[in-house]
Each structure stands twice: as C-alpha cells, then as structure tokens.
C-alpha cells in the first residue's frame, strides 16, 4: 500500500542528499561559513547521516514501522517528518493536539503565493526591488506585522533557483504570513519553520533568512539571521558601519538548529540594507565578484539619497560591473532609511 510513498521518500531524500553534498563540495568557504553561522561542517554531516539512515531503512524494509508495536506509521506523519517512528496509537492527547497543529501548518505552507506590498512604517522611507535570474525566482522579501503591531522585515534566499526554488519560496511566504501575526519575536517563527522543513519530504534544499522586528516607537530592530547575508546598517551621523551577521544556521541545513536574537538601536538618518547574494556574488567577465565592500560604498557615498535612488544607484553599478554579462542568480534589495 505504501510502496508509492516509500518510493517518493527515497527519491526526495536522494535529491536532498545530492543537493547537500554538491553544496558542501562546490560552495565557497565564505558562503559555507555564512550559511552555517560559523559552525563547522560536522552539523551538515549529521544531517546527511540521518538521511543515509532513512535510506538504509527503506532498503532493508524497516522504514515506516512503529518501533513500539511494529504496525505501520501513518503516511501523513512520514510525509511531514520522515524520521517518524511511532504510530498515532501511541501518542498522548497533548501530543495529538500538537501533531494536529503541525499537520495543519505543514499543509498550509504548500499553498499559494500572497501579494507583497511596501508598507507605511512611521519615520521610514522604504523601497524594494527583486529580479529573478530565471522566469521563476528563489528570492523572497516581505513586510508583515507581528502580534504586537511592530513591523516585520523578511529577506530570504532559497538555495538554487528555477521552478523548485520558486515553489519553496512560495510555501515560505505562506508560512511567514501564517506565523508572524501570532508571534512576538523572530525566534519562534524561524524555529517553527525549521521544524516544518528539516524532515519534510516535499523540501529538498535549504533556505537562508533574515527576519527583523522593528518598533518605530523605540527605533529598535530585533533580528535573527539564519545563515543569510549580513544586513548592512550605515550611520551617517558618525560614519559608523554595522553588519548584522548570522545568528544561526540556514533553515533545513543542520539537524540541531539553534538561533539567537540580536537587538540594534536605529537612529535618525540611518540606512538599513537587506539583500541576497545575487548582489554581492554578481561576477564580471573575468569572474571577479562585486562583493560587500562595493555595495556598502554606494550607501556611504550617498547618505542624502532616498531609498528609491539608492536602489537605482546599486543596480546601475551592478550592471556596470557585469558589463553585459547576464546575472547568474536572483537579485533582491530592500532599503529602509530613517527620516531625520
């Protein structure tokens, strides 16, 4: 009865395994350090070990068998978490309620795409731009309100691009629109998304995410950075640069996911830049990357420009650097400038 499901699990896990191994072997060291938030590669090896164990269980016929009663584990459980080893009959009432919530959320994140708007945030001038390298992109930015009415800023980049990355991006957007309005902090949102993705057979890659929570009354930005490019904050009043570095690994990349929250105080005139690696890794005809420094230099040299003007300047400089070479990756930018 479950042969079709087991075949699907095997195919998906082999794809996930192949994607992870390719990334470990091919991704530059700097990119790996960013995505892993300075953890060593053993955390990825641990994830690969879990995948290999599951593939071996499928091969030997023990996959999907309850370890308590030797009956079959429900198909819906295995699709949501391929490591499930206990059938529903052994769940407590509390575990069943929690599972029902997780199953509902797992189904929600596989549904359609919601519209993105530039919000009104008191005291801020915000602009955004996103251009996919292919017809369907794997970058995602969004603006959402947290439970207490503070403003959420999302910037995410699915590993890879094309249709599969676009589908994951779509589900990610739905997850954020479902979770953020009920949350008080970025941490539970990212922790919940990682739980939904890490062992779900429908997701075969990983995603980097910056999630910020801005309070215009205090001008404090609380953020968690899951293996994403460092957001850039420039303070013209003191010529200070602040890089909002990763505070945890990428979603779906490691078995033991742990992430921290950081707070940064914004001041009038500050410029905050969120972006994906399609910006900093854009290459010229010789293969030289544009890099963080060139990106930051445009902000530093134009502190009086509006957010819209800064995006135009960045894109013009990026095209000049590429000198006609097509962009190999999606390009996404969000610029938020505090009014003086």
């Amino acid at each position: 009865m479950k042969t079709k499901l087991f075949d699907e699990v095997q195919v998906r896990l082999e794809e996930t395994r192949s994607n992870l191994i390719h990334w470990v072997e091919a991704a530059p060291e700097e990119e790996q350090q960013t995505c892993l938030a300075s953890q060593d590669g053993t955390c990825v090896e641990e994830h690969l070990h879990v995948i290999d164990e599951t593939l071996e269980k499928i091969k030997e016929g023990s996959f999907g068998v309850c370890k308590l009663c030797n009956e079959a584990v429900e198909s819906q459980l295995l699709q949501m978490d391929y490591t499930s080893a206990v059938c529903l009959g052994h769940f407590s009432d509390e575990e069943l309620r929690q599972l029902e919530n997780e199953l509902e959320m797992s189904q929600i994140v596989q549904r359609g795409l919601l519209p993105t708007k530039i919000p009104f945030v008191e005291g801020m001038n915000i602009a955004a731009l996103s251009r996919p390298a292919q017809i369907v992109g794997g970058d995602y930015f969004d603006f959402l309100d947290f439970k207490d009415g503070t403003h959420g800023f999302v910037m995410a980049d699915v590993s890879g691009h094309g249709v599969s990355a676009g589908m994951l991006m779509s589900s990610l957007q739905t997850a954020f629109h479902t979770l953020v309005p009920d949350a008080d902090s970025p941490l539970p949102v990212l922790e919940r998304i990682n739980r939904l993705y890490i062992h779900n057979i429908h997701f075969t890659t990983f995603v980097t995410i910056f999630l910020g929570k801005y309070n215009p009354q205090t001008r404090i930005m609380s953020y968690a950075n899951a293996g994403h490019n460092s957001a850039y904050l420039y303070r013209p009043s003191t010529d200070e640069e602040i890089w909002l570095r990763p505070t945890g690994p990428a979603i779906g990349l490691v078995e033991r996911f742990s992430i921290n929250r950081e707070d940064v105080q914004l001041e009038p005139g500050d410029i905050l830049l969120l972006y994906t690696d399609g910006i900093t890794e854009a290459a010229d005809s010789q293969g030289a990357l544009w890099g963080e420094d060139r990106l930051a230099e445009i902000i530093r040299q134009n502190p009086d420009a509006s957010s819209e003007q800064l995006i135009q300047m960045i894109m013009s400089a990026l095209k000049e650097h590429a000198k006609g070479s097509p962009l190999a990756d999606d390009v996404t930018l969000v610029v938020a400038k505090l009014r003086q």
Side-chain angles (χ1 to χ4, degrees), residues 89-105:
H90 299 286
F91 278 46
S92 67
D93 290 343
E94 177 60 31
E95 288 172 331
L96 284 171
R97 282 192 293 270
Q98 182 178 353
L99 175 65
E100 184 179 2
N101 184 264
E102 293 293 321
L103 285 170
E104 181 182 358
M105 188 64 212

Side-chain angles (χ1 to χ4, degrees), residues 3-261:
T3 302
K4 185 176 180 180
L5 171 62
F6 290 1
D7 288 346
E8 181 184 5
V9 173
Q10 181 174 348
V11 168
R12 298 278 188 168
L13 289 184
E14 287 173 347
E15 182 182 349
T16 302
R17 186 180 188 277
S18 176
N19 289 339
L20 282 173
I21 291 174
H22 175 74
W23 181 78
V24 169
E25 293 176 346
E29 182 179 353
E30 184 178 348
E31 178 184 333
Q32 293 194 27
Q33 289 178 347
T34 298
C35 291
L36 293 171
S38 299
Q39 297 185 33
D40 59 40
T42 57
C43 53
V44 179
E45 293 174 8
E46 185 179 4
H47 188 29
L48 285 168
H49 179 68
V50 172
I51 293 173
D52 287 339
E53 279 188 334
T54 305
L55 289 171
E56 184 61 30
K57 286 180 179 179
I58 294 173
K59 183 179 179 181
E60 66 185 19
S62 61
F63 176 72
V65 177
C66 176
K67 64 183 181 182
L68 299 180
C69 67
N70 291 322
E71 294 293 329
V73 176
E74 289 75 8
S75 298
Q76 203 170 10
L77 272 180
L78 293 172
Q79 290 182 64
M80 186 181 74
D81 184 351
Y82 57 77
T83 66
S84 298
V86 177
C87 63
L88 289 176
H90 299 286
F91 278 46
S92 67
D93 290 343
E94 177 60 31
E95 288 172 331
L96 284 171
R97 282 192 293 270
Q98 182 178 353
L99 175 65
E100 184 179 2
N101 184 264
E102 293 293 321
L103 285 170
E104 181 182 358
M105 188 64 212
S106 181
Q107 293 166 352
I108 286 172
V109 300
Q110 294 175 52
R111 296 177 190 158
L113 199 61
L114 298 173
T116 297
K117 300 178 186 177
I118 302 295
F120 169 78
V121 177
E122 183 181 352
M124 261 191 181
N125 166 226
I126 302 172
L129 176 143
S130 187
R131 290 184 181 173
Q134 299 182 13
I135 294 175
V136 181
D139 282 3
Y140 163 53
F141 73 94
D142 215 338
F143 308 98
L144 306 145
D145 286 345
F146 281 86
K147 189 176 182 179
D148 60 2
T150 55
H151 304 285
F153 290 71
V154 183
M155 180 66 68
D157 187 358
V158 177
S159 179
H161 37 78
V163 174
S164 60
M167 290 174 64
L168 177 52
M169 183 271 289
S170 173
S171 75
L172 189 66
Q173 187 179 45
T174 307
F176 272 108
H177 277 257
T178 304
L179 295 173
V180 170
D182 288 329
D184 295 315
S185 164
L187 292 186
V189 176
L190 296 182
E191 289 166 349
R192 181 79 180 277
I193 289 175
N194 188 74
R195 287 201 306 272
L196 289 166
Y197 282 35
I198 186 65
H199 294 146
N200 192 311
I201 67 168
H202 297 289
F203 305 113
T204 58
T205 186
F206 63 88
V207 56
T208 67
I209 302 173
F210 177 95
L211 176 57
K213 177 178 184 282
Y214 179 67
N215 186 334
Q217 305 305 314
T218 62
R219 295 201 298 270
I220 291 176
M221 174 73 80
S222 301
Y223 69 92
N225 183 338
H228 194 72
N229 300 88
S230 301
Y232 177 68
L233 176 63
Y234 179 60
R235 182 158 296 155
S237 60
T238 59
D239 197 30
E240 182 181 4
E241 294 180 296
I242 302 171
W243 293 94
L244 311 186
R245 302 293 183 187
T247 62
I251 300 294
L253 184 59
V254 303
E255 280 296 312
R256 287 176 286 183
F257 181 78
S258 177
I259 192 163
N260 300 315
R261 190 195 82 187

Side-chain angles (χ1 to χ4, degrees), residues 263-304:
D263 295 338
V264 60
Q265 178 71 59
L266 305 187
E267 298 180 2
D270 281 2
I271 302 170
L272 177 66
L273 173 64
L274 310 179
Y275 60 95
T276 56
D277 60 12
I279 300 284
T280 52
E281 295 180 7
D284 63 15
S285 58
Q286 304 302 313
L289 304 184
W290 200 45
E292 286 182 347
D293 291 342
R294 288 190 178 97
L295 180 61
E297 184 179 7
I298 291 176
I299 304 295
R300 289 196 309 268
Q301 291 183 346
N302 300 279
D304 296 325

